[in-house]
Each structure stands twice: as C-alpha cells, then as structure tokens.
Amino acid sequence: MLAILLAHALAALVAPAAVRVVGRNAFYPLALVPLVSLGWVIAGWNDVQQVSYAWAPTINLSLQLRFDSLATVMSALVLGIGALVLAYCARYFDDDEPKLGSFAAWLVAFAGAMFGLVTSDNMLLLFVFWEITTVLSFLLVGHNSDSAAGRRAALQALLVTGAGGLAMLGGIVVLGQTYGSYLLSDILAAEAPGGIAVQVGLVLVLIGALSKSAVVPLHFWLPGAMAAPTPVSAYLHAAAMVKAGVYLIARLAPAFAEEPVWRPLVLTLGVASMLLGGLRAMQVTDLKLVLAFGTVSQLGFLVTMVGIGTPAAALAGIALVVAHALFKGCLFLVVGIIDHGAGTRTIGELSGLGRRAPALMIISVLAAASMAGIPPLLGFVGKEAALGAVLDAEQFSTTGRLLLGAGLVLGLMLTTAYSARFLWGAFADKPGVQIPDWHPPKISLIGPPALLSLAGLGTGLAATWVDGLLAPYAESLPGALTGHLQLWHGFTVPLLLTVVAVGCGAVFFVLRDRFGESTTLLGNADRGYDAALRAMDRASLRMTGSVQRGSLPLNQAVILGTLVILPATVLALGTRTGVELRLWDRPLQLVIGAIMIAMALGATVLRNRLASVLVVGLTGYGCGVIFALHGAPDLALTQFLVETLTLVAFVLVLRAFPAEIGPEQQAGFQIGRAAIALAAGITVPVLAAFATAARSTEPIWERIPAAAYEFGGGKNAVNVLLVDMRAWDTLGEISVLLVAATGVASLVFRSRRFGLPPRAADAPNYNPGKVGWLPAGRLVDRRDRSMVLQITTRLVFPTMMVLSVYFFFSGHNAPGGGFAGGLIAGLALVLRYLAGGQYELGEALPVDAGHLLGAGLILAAGTATVPLLFGAPPLHSVILEATLPVLGHVKLVTSLFFDLGVYLIVVGLVLDVLRSLGARLDDELVQS
C-alpha cells in the first residue's frame, strides 16, 4: 500500500517534465501507475492487510493503513477508472493545452490521495488525505484560470468541502478521545460508549461526509464544479471525490447506524437529495449539468442505502456505488466527446447525432439504462437489491418502510426520466434544430467510455459473481445477510416497483416540458451561498473596522488588554496555591534587571529614533546576559545574535526617516497607555509563576540531557531538541521564516524579487583596473566611505565565516548550531554590505536569496521524510562513526543535514532582508 502511494507521488512529480517532453502522450505511461496498482488490488481482493509506521504514537499520529473488503472495492474504482480517465486525457487535450503538465500531476496525485483515503485506518491520517483531495479538486476544477466561472466554481468547492472537512476534524477528535483510539478498526470493534459526546462527534463527521458527497443542503458546489474539464468531472465528481463521503458513511455504518442521530440525518437528507437532484436534472439544458444534478440525485440514493445499516442494504449500496461509478464516468466522458465533436453540449443545439455516431449512442444507451435501472445492467441489479432491503428492514416500522420506499421509488421515477432526457437531448433528431458539424472521435478517445459501459453490462450479467466480491463488506455489519445480488429474483414486489418507476419515469419524460426552469430549493442554494458570503464579508468588515482603525496604539491596546483580562479572569475563578516567586538568585541579576528597566523607560522619553532603537536593543542584550547567568549559553548566544541583526534591520529602515521625532508627532504622558503597559508587564511574570506552580510531576527537562545523547547522539541538549527530538517544531518555524521573507520581499519589491544581487562590474562607475579585496569598496562615494570600517571588514569577515562554520559543526555537542552559525554568517554579510554597499553584497554572496531559502527548506523537509523510506519514523537520526586518515575518529549524525537546511534558510533570510530593506531602499533613496 505504501508503495502505491509513493508510486503516485513520484508519477505526480515527473508528470510535468514528461508532458513537456512527449506532450499529451505522457498520459499513457502515467495511466500505467494506477493500472499496475489495480493489479495489486485484484491480486489481494478481500485479503485483510495492515501497514503501520510509528510517527508520533503518543499523540495518535501514525501512518496506519488497512486494506479490507470495503477498501478493496473503493480502491478498484479509484485506480481502475483513474487509469481510463488518464488514457482518455491523452486524446481529449491538445498538446498546446495551457498548464497540461500541472494538470497531469494533479490528476495522478488525486488518484494516490483517494487510495490513501480509502485505506487509512488512522482517522487523523484519513483527514490528511481528505484535505489533500479537497486542495487537488480546487486546482483541477480551476484548471482554466482565465475563466471567471472556473475560478468561482473552484473556490466554492474549496470553501464548502473545506468547511465540512474542518467540522469533520472536530468530530474525529471527539470520537477519538471518547473511544480512546483514533483507529477505525478499534472503533468499529469496540462497544459504543453512548452519550452526548458520541452524538456530537457523529454529527460533525457526517457534516464533512455529506458536504464531500454533495448532499442537500451542501450540494450546490457540485453543479458549479462542472466548469472543470470533462475528465475532471468524470473522475472526481462521478467515480472518486464525491464517493469519499459515501465511503465514510459506509465505513462507519456498522458501528453507528443504531445511534439516535444517524438514520434521521442520513436518510432524510439522502432522500431529499435524490428527489431535488432529479427534479433539477429535468430542468437544465446543458448535458453536463443534467449529469451533475443526476449525480446529486444518485449520491442521495447511495448515502441512503449505505446509511441504513443493515447487511442487505449495505450490499445493495456498495453494488450501486460500483454501478454509479461505471455509468456516470462513462456518460461524462461521452459528453466530452460530444462537446469536442459537435462544439456544443446544449440540448437545444444538438440533433441527429444518433445517426452520425451510432457507436457512441449505443455506449450511452447502455450506461443510461444502467442509471435508470433497466435489466440486465448492474444498475438494475443494485436497484432491485436496494428496494428489497428497504422493504425487509426490520429496524423500521411499517410506516417508516413505506415512507422510505415511496421516496426512493419517486426518486427512481425521476432517474428514469432524466436518463431518457439525456439520451434524447444528445442523440435524437429534433425538428427545427440544425444538425451541427460533427467530427467523429477516434477509437482511442471512445475506448475508455466503451469499456466502462461494457463493464456495467458484464457485471450485471454476472451478478452472482459480483455478489461474491461485494458480500464480505455486507457481512461485516451486525446481523445476517439475507439477500444476495441476482439478475432475476422472480416476480417480486421490488420488480413491481421497478416497473412502476420505469413506467412513470417514461411518463415524466413525455411531460418533460412541463417541468420548466422553475425555482427550487436546489436552485436557490447557490444564491444562498452567495448571500452567506456577502453577509460574512459585511460582518468581517464591521468587526475589523471596530478594532482595527489604522491606529497602532489601538491595535496594541486591544492585544495587550486581551493578554491581561483573559488570564486574570481565569486565575480569579480558579487559582492554585503554592506559587513561589524569587526576585533574583544573585545580585548581578538585579543589576541587569535595573539596567533593562532603565533602558525601557528611556525608550519612552528619547526623541532621537536611533537612540531609541539602541536602548531597546540594550534590553535584549540584558536578556541575553540573564540567559548566560542561568547557564544557558545557547540561548544567550542566539539572543545576542538576533538582537544584533534586529538592530541592523532597524538602522537600515531608519535611513528613510528623519533623525528626530517632530513636535507634531510627540505625545505627552498618557495614563491609559501607562496603565496597559504596567498591567501587561505584571501579567507576564505572574502567569509564569502560576504556570510553574501548576507542575505536578517530574519536570521533563531533567530527562532531556540524557535523552539528547541517547536518541540524538549529541551533548548539546538545546541543539538536539531543535534538530531531532522537536524537529517538527523547527520545521514549522523555518517555514514561517520563509513565508515572512517572501512577504517582506513582496512588499518591498512589489512585483517580484530581483534575481541575483548586482556585482561590482554592474555598477556605472566600475573601474576594472582598481579592484581590491573589497571589489565594491571603491564604488562608495568618498563622503560615505569609511576606511576604518573597510579595513576592519577585511580582517573580521573571514574570521566570522570560519566562526560560522565552527558553530554549525560544533553545535551538536557545544553551544552553536545551524541557527547560530547562520546568524553569524548573516552578520558577516551585513558587515560586507555596510563596508561596500549593495554591490559588495553581490560580491560576497552572488546567489539569489530565494534559491537559498528554497534549498534550505527542501533539505530540511527531505531530511524529515527520507527515514520513512527505510521504515523509520520521520526525522529519525542515524549515527555514523568511523576512524579516517588525518581526521581521526569522526562521528556524523544525520540530523546535521536538517541543521544545514536551517543554516541556509537563516543566511537566505538575512540576504533577503539586506536586499529589500538595504539595497532596494538605497536605490529608492537615490532616486528620490
């Protein structure tokens, strides 16, 4: 299973390059990935397999996959239809299609993500794959980014399914904590604890499932998503993505179908979707929309059947899932062929295609007949089983069975009607309608829908064989499986209901013009979505306008006031005893603290901007001294370096401001601001004291030094924490740093980063005959040139770079590390910049800052994920020791490469800041 996921990930990575090399034909080898994976699924059909990789087991984060009967069926659909759709793309698109390589990558990645979703045993891992499909759906639906309709549809699908996913995450956490396990296998095997927590968790999970499967009232995103290319509609919105919610309901039904909130919610909304979707399918005139609203209707049918929670209904439901994937995937691909060949898919503009494309019509007739439940197609087999399961469901009263059965039969009438309307709209001769120009499709384009259509016929004829494949899932539900899939059950009540549904559906088709374009709940839902967005926009504007009025003091007052009020309220309601507060451990701390307080007060009265920045910096240096006095040299070193770099950034920016604060900007003493500052200053140490007093067990820091050496192979506990034991935190932090650097560059450069920094040879006054050790030093105007600074730079820069490398390599066992080493290298670059200007910066490091940032993040993330390939947890360190000539005994810990990524990101960040706040600002000051 893990190999299949990795194969799809690799195929997605190489897809853009493959499309650039061989064009659209690259879809054929890409289709082999899901096709070969399908072979593995078929070979292990219904064999229960499990894969588990420990990640963070103490917080239930593990890579745990489980392959069972339900996962087998869903995987076969995802991979099989995925292979056919990829093959279809090879002839559907032209070589000059924009962003075709990206499209291919997203489609292959989606197949892999869906496979991961249906095989995930850990609910948190399932949620990760769930959201990956949401993001990939957004990219695929919005493939044509030039289309306003495509962009709107993609954003709508993202917001609706993403919001449902967040609700589902809350439900997953509630269920996981209630059951004491996040594994689906454990939850399905456990006895339901009951209680309000389970009910709330179930409702939240069902919201996510119903939004994903476009069930009323969260259905409206699916018709809008028809702006996507046809292969996307055929795959995501017929066979794969919309089945995720159906799958989740089918997965949870064995454990939760008897819960009070389950059936009323699932069955009511399922039947409502079936009826309203069928009604809208009779009103729209775009063939693709007919199928889209038909999909909403069919998804309601599927959700209803798998949600009933009986073995017979589960068997019928899973059979209908297979049938729907076959006939709806086929029909969407047919619509793509019609759109290509005729140049339109509007019913009122199509006429005579049945005579001009008989093979395509036969394919469509078989698929539409399966959708309508006509024998001997698989759709008929599943529908018969579904009606029988509803009539025999002992869990419902007689009235309940009659109401549910009546709703399904009425939905099946509409299904027959819109199936016939699709065939008539696509292929019939219509009086007064001009026959469009027709470009016959090639066999390679018509092959995938033909295979799907024939599969629907073949599986219907071989219903008994299909029953043997699908029955293991149904048998996993409580109770005995009394019914089986058969093509002929004899003259039964379900057969009579089928005849009634088909007959009345034919009447509905004859009266199709009576349906019109009337407004329905389904039609209004899209308007409701727009109204909801407008309401949220207005609310956010009012809220933002009330607390953020462009006043920095007001914003700070709100933030600091919240910091003071909320903790104080909580402490007042439930305080703890045993709080101890020592003002100092040694007199020197008191001296340093007094200096820091004096500097902070000085910053409030000084009128010179540079002086204010310097005294604020002294408070930071004082904090570093306190770290050193407490025996934390790493923290002290980092604090000193960060404070120095921050001071430099402030100085670079202050060049664009007047030296003194003008009289009009000066403010006298304000009691409100002083009160907030005093309250915030008191709150922080009080919270620290209470937090320390709340500790009731052995402090974890007592174990860290031994654990650092045992697991991370280093004596410097701080650095080992950063690059090994808590490296995920560091990975998140450096990602934030990269985003911050990108934001700064975007604000300063406005459009994009300038590539490589300019070098001395690029300067207008460059003289190649006068090049010294600082090539750009002579380019600085004599009035601004400091010979002392330049000579000092010549002496100090090499030393700083050597010290930077030393700190990087020694950090695992002594103070230092990638962060400290990167900061020292950054300060060395600052020194070169101050001595020689922006051209000297290019001479010191002629590298694009963005490339350094990207390389550092890739290296750090790669170090995190590579251990997974060898069955080890992410970021698992390997210790290599050897005795080498000259070097002697060498010990290498692989977390060093993660630290190298940190080093590169810090250097890239400093370079980015110097180029944006330094060199770029230089140019603007000169121009002004």
Side-chain angles (χ1 to χ4, degrees):
M1 287 183 280
L2 186 59
I4 291 177
L5 292 175
L6 293 175
H8 281 81
L10 181 61
L13 289 175
V14 303
V19 170
R20 282 196 299 269
V21 173
V22 298
R24 62 179 184 172
N25 289 327
F27 280 98
Y28 285 128
L30 292 175
L32 292 177
V33 177
L35 185 61
V36 173
S37 302
L38 176 63
W40 179 86
V41 170
I42 295 174
W45 194 277
N46 285 332
D47 290 342
V48 177
Q49 303 180 41
Q50 292 183 335
V51 175
S52 179
Y53 293 91
W55 186 353
T58 55
I59 56 173
N60 299 293
L61 289 177
S62 299
L63 184 63
Q64 291 169 306
L65 305 175
R66 191 169 189 270
F67 191 73
D68 58 6
S69 54
L70 181 58
T72 301
V73 176
M74 298 302 298
S75 298
L77 294 179
V78 168
L79 298 173
I81 298 180
L84 290 177
V85 170
L86 285 168
Y88 178 89
C89 290
R91 288 298 169 265
Y92 178 82
F93 292 109
D94 297 324
D95 283 325
D96 58 353
E97 174 75 17
K99 300 184 293 185
L100 188 58
S102 299
F103 179 89
W106 297 332
L107 199 59
V108 175
F110 186 89
M114 274 301 301
F115 178 80
L117 189 154
V118 300
T119 57
S120 294
D121 193 25
N122 188 306
M123 291 192 295
L124 296 175
L125 180 64
L126 182 148
F127 172 75
V128 171
F129 284 117
W130 187 281
E131 291 304 288
I132 290 175
T133 62
T134 297
V135 174
L136 290 173
S137 172
F138 168 76
L139 296 172
L140 288 166
V141 172
H143 169 66
N144 184 9
S145 57
D146 295 333
S147 167
R151 295 194 301 270
R152 182 184 186 278
L155 183 60
Q156 186 182 68
L158 178 68
L159 290 178
V160 174
T161 59
L166 290 177
M168 187 181 77
L169 176 60
I172 286 173
V173 172
V174 171
L175 292 178
Q177 294 300 112
T178 303
Y179 278 85
S181 174
Y182 283 82
L183 298 184
L184 286 168
S185 55
D186 290 345
I187 291 176
L188 296 177
E191 182 177 352
I196 188 64
V198 172
Q199 307 302 314
V200 172
L202 271 181
V203 171
L204 292 174
V205 170
L206 287 175
I207 289 173
L210 297 176
S211 68
K212 200 79 159 182
S213 288
V215 172
V216 169
L218 302 173
H219 58 283
F220 50 88
W221 67 266
L222 181 59
M226 293 303 108
T230 295
V232 175
S233 302
Y235 191 34
L236 276 68
H237 308 136
M241 177 181 170
V242 293
K243 294 294 196 310
V246 178
Y247 160 78
L248 188 57
I249 292 174
R251 175 64 76 189
L252 297 177
F256 298 110
E258 299 297 330
E259 294 293 331
V261 300
W262 181 273
R263 290 193 177 108
L265 183 62
V266 173
L267 303 189
T268 302
L269 295 180
V271 173
S273 295
M274 192 177 184
L275 297 177
L276 294 173
L279 179 60
R280 284 293 283 149
M282 292 297 294
Q283 297 174 333
V284 294
T285 58
D286 187 319
L287 287 177
K288 207 172 181 184
L289 283 180
V290 172
L291 295 180
F293 283 110
T295 299
V296 172
S297 177
Q298 290 291 307
L299 289 171
F301 191 18
L302 299 180
V303 163
T304 300
M305 294 314 302
V306 299
I308 289 177
T310 63
L315 179 60
I318 199 66
L320 288 170
V321 167
V322 176
H324 179 265
L326 296 176
F327 65 68
K328 195 57 68 73
C330 168
L331 292 176
F332 269 117
L333 296 181
V334 167
V335 170
I337 295 173
I338 292 174
D339 198 8
H340 257 224
T344 182
R345 57 174 190 255
T346 303
I347 291 177
E349 299 175 359
L350 293 170
S351 181
L353 288 188
R355 291 182 285 104
R356 306 187 70 178
L360 192 63
M361 184 183 68
I362 292 172
I363 292 171
S364 302
V365 167
L366 288 175
S370 183
M371 182 164 61
I374 306 296
L377 283 304
L378 183 60
F380 167 77
V381 174
K383 181 177 69 174
E384 291 289 287
L387 293 174
V390 171
L391 295 176
D392 295 337
E394 298 178 354
Q395 288 78 3
F396 304 115
S397 63
T398 302
T399 303
R401 288 197 295 270
L402 290 177
L403 289 175
L404 182 58
L408 294 181
V409 171
L410 182 56
L412 292 172
M413 294 177 186
L414 291 170
T415 302
T416 301
Y418 66 69
S419 299
R421 185 168 182 261
F422 173 85
L423 293 175
W424 169 81
F427 299 102
D429 291 325
K430 304 180 184 69
V433 178
Q434 183 179 358
I435 299 177
D437 294 333
W438 175 249
H439 304 287
K442 296 182 179 180
I443 297 298
S444 55
L445 188 62
I446 205 173
L451 288 175
L452 292 173
S453 180
L454 292 175
L457 175 61
T459 50
L461 294 172
T464 305
W465 174 72
V466 174
D467 179 81
L469 298 177
L470 305 183
Y473 162 67
E475 292 169 350
S476 67
L477 276 82
L481 178 60
T482 56
H484 291 278
L485 300 177
Q486 294 180 11
L487 184 58
W488 176 251
H489 290 274
F491 294 100
T492 60
V493 175
L495 181 62
L496 175 62
L497 294 177
T498 295
V499 173
V500 171
V502 173
C504 292
V507 174
F508 286 172
F509 168 70
V510 173
L511 301 175
R512 59 188 177 276
D513 294 334
R514 301 286 183 92
F515 285 88
E517 277 284 358
S518 61
T519 302
T520 66
L521 173 63
L522 209 70
N524 280 334
D526 197 53
R527 300 177 189 174
Y529 164 82
D530 291 333
L533 285 186
R534 288 194 297 269
M536 287 189 288
D537 284 341
R538 289 194 297 268
S540 63
L541 286 173
R542 290 173 182 173
M543 183 181 298
T544 303
S546 63
V547 297
Q548 295 187 16
R549 301 179 181 178
S551 170
L552 182 59
L554 176 62
N555 293 344
Q556 288 180 322
V558 171
I559 295 171
L560 295 177
T562 304
L563 172 67
V564 172
I565 295 172
L566 289 184
T569 303
V570 175
L571 289 177
L573 295 176
T575 58
R576 294 183 176 89
T577 59
V579 176
E580 295 182 3
L581 186 63
R582 293 198 308 272
L583 295 179
W584 59 79
D585 293 317
R586 60 184 72 175
L588 185 57
Q589 293 174 344
L590 177 62
V591 175
I592 299 299
I595 294 174
M596 293 172 65
I597 294 173
M599 293 299 101
L601 292 174
T604 64
V605 298
L606 288 172
R607 295 294 173 258
N608 184 278
R609 287 187 168 90
L610 180 58
S612 299
V613 169
L614 291 177
V615 296
V616 169
L618 287 176
T619 63
Y621 287 120
C623 185
V625 173
I626 291 178
F627 286 151
L629 293 176
H630 277 277
D634 271 282
L635 293 180
L637 176 63
T638 303
Q639 178 68 27
F640 290 143
L641 294 174
V642 169
E643 198 62 47
T644 303
L645 197 58
T646 304
L647 280 174
V648 171
F650 269 112
V651 171
L652 292 176
V653 173
L654 288 180
R655 293 179 302 162
F657 290 85
E660 301 287 335
I661 298 176
E664 70 281 357
Q665 296 172 323
Q666 296 181 14
F669 179 76
Q670 297 188 12
I671 186 64
R673 296 184 185 182
I676 292 176
L678 184 62
I682 294 174
T683 299
V684 173
V686 169
L687 288 178
F690 273 94
T692 304
R695 180 179 289 137
S696 58
T697 58
E698 178 188 358
I700 192 174
W701 61 263
E702 295 183 3
R703 302 182 181 182
I704 287 178
Y709 191 78
E710 179 180 355
F711 299 110
K715 298 178 181 179
N716 183 356
V718 174
N719 185 259
V720 175
L721 272 174
L722 292 175
V723 300
D724 190 297
M725 293 188 287
R726 298 296 300 272
W728 281 112
D729 291 345
T730 306
L731 185 60
E733 290 164 1
I734 61 177
S735 300
V736 171
L737 273 178
L738 190 145
V739 172
T742 303
V744 170
S746 299
L747 289 172
V748 175
F749 293 137
R750 296 183 181 91
S751 58
R752 62 180 179 85
R753 281 189 176 90
F754 297 159
L756 296 176
R759 304 186 65 173
D762 300 323
N765 56 339
Y766 175 69
N767 185 348
K770 296 182 178 180
V771 177
W773 189 86
L774 292 177
R778 297 178 181 273
L779 302 178
V780 180
D781 189 275
R782 290 184 179 274
R783 293 170 298 179
D784 300 325
R785 188 186 306 172
S786 170
M787 296 303 298
V788 173
L789 179 60
Q790 290 191 358
I791 293 173
T792 302
T793 301
R794 296 182 185 183
L795 297 175
V796 174
F797 179 81
T799 305
M800 294 181 68
M801 293 305 299
V802 171
L803 185 63
S804 168
V805 175
Y806 167 77
F807 274 129
F808 167 69
F809 281 107
S810 68
H812 213 59
N813 293 289
F819 191 74
L823 287 175
I824 293 176
L827 288 174
L829 292 176
V830 169
L831 193 60
R832 288 285 292 267
Y833 167 74
L834 295 176
Q838 60 173 317
Y839 297 109
E840 188 60 41
L841 188 63
E843 294 293 337
L845 191 62
V847 179
D848 190 333
H851 293 170
L852 276 180
L853 291 167
L857 187 62
I858 291 173
L859 188 58
T863 306
T865 54
V866 166
L868 285 173
L869 302 178
F870 302 95
L875 287 168
H876 176 72
S877 295
V878 177
I879 302 174
L880 306 174
E881 295 188 68
T883 301
L884 302 178
V886 181
L887 297 178
H889 183 73
V890 175
K891 179 180 179 181
L892 175 65
V893 183
T894 54
S895 59
L896 180 72
F897 299 104
F898 182 90
D899 216 11
L900 179 59
V902 175
Y903 182 94
L904 293 177
I905 286 179
V906 173
V907 174
L909 176 65
V910 174
L911 186 61
D912 218 20
V913 170
L914 289 176
R915 293 218 57 213
S916 56
L917 300 182
R920 179 65 169 162
L921 193 57
D922 285 342
D923 294 337
E924 294 183 356
L925 290 174
V926 170
Q927 293 172 5
S928 62

